[in-house]
Amino acid sequence: LYAAQNDKIYFSDAAFPTRMDMRKNFIQLEGWITMLKSVKGGLYVGAGNNVYFLEGDDPLQPGFVLHKVSDSKVIEGSALKIEGEDIGEGGTGTVIVWASSDGIFIGMPGGVAKEVTNGNYNILNAERGAAIYRSDLFGQYLFNYEFVEGNGGGEINLTIPAAEISIWS
């Protein structure tokens, strides 16, 4: 079990998921943790101005590795788990979708993250929001957010990307 608090991720003992030694069972990162989502092979973590992939099964074992996958801050509340086949041909397994100031990202199993809005969608001065995924005739990632106070907010220039986004190429 994993739990985030401020700039730390606490984890339980693998053999005893209800027991956690807070003196040693934690991973400290730089910055406030805004996302903690799992996929096959590890965890995506938004911390401060970066996104990391923690690869492996047990943080206390040597095979557990931290990889930086993006230098874009995750907007708190924007991350969702979605089945890969729901968002494109060839997708298998669970993926993570999140919003950052640089656009919308998809984190695939194994730690490969991709910005899928081709630089056409920038969310400036957003601090937190809420997201849902709906699937009717086609899938939609819907995200609303609030501006950081004092930054002038209220208006955003948005260029809509092409109707079809390929994430598996």
Side-chain angles (χ1 to χ4, degrees):
L1 296 174
Y2 294 89
Q5 182 181 27
N6 300 328
D7 61 348
K8 292 181 182 69
I9 299 171
Y10 294 96
F11 55 91
S12 64
D13 291 327
F16 302 100
T18 58
R19 191 166 60 193
M20 180 186 319
D21 186 344
M22 294 180 70
R23 297 170 298 173
K24 64 176 182 171
N25 286 22
F26 68 90
I27 301 165
Q28 185 159 2
L29 299 167
E30 288 186 30
W32 188 268
I33 296 174
T34 55
M35 174 178 72
L36 180 63
K37 298 283 185 186
S38 65
V39 294
K40 185 175 183 176
L43 298 167
Y44 281 99
V45 179
N49 293 321
N50 300 301
V51 178
Y52 301 96
F53 185 72
L54 285 87
E55 181 178 9
D57 295 327
D58 186 351
L60 298 175
Q61 297 301 316
F64 197 79
V65 182
L66 176 75
H67 303 283
K68 183 177 173 183
V69 297
S70 171
D71 58 359
S72 295
K73 181 179 180 178
V74 174
I75 298 170
E76 190 172 355
S78 70
L80 295 175
K81 287 176 119 175
I82 300 172
E83 289 305 313
E85 56 269 6
D86 288 345
I87 59 172
E89 286 186 33
T92 58
T94 301
V95 299
I96 308 301
V97 179
W98 70 86
S100 78
S101 59
D102 293 333
I104 308 298
F105 283 77
I106 293 183
M108 292 169 259
V112 176
K114 184 176 180 182
E115 191 267 323
V116 295
T117 49
N118 300 318
N120 291 318
Y121 187 64
N122 297 327
I123 308 168
L124 303 176
N125 303 323
E127 186 174 312
R128 65 186 152 271
I132 61 169
Y133 180 77
R134 69 173 246 163
S135 181
D136 197 0
L137 295 174
F138 56 91
Q140 293 177 305
Y141 170 76
L142 305 169
F143 172 64
N144 71 343
Y145 55 93
E146 64 181 80
F147 286 102
V148 177
E149 287 188 38
N151 287 323
E155 186 174 323
I156 186 167
N157 293 323
L158 173 63
T159 303
I160 303 298
E164 184 174 322
I165 299 173
S166 175
I167 64 167
W168 305 112
S169 59

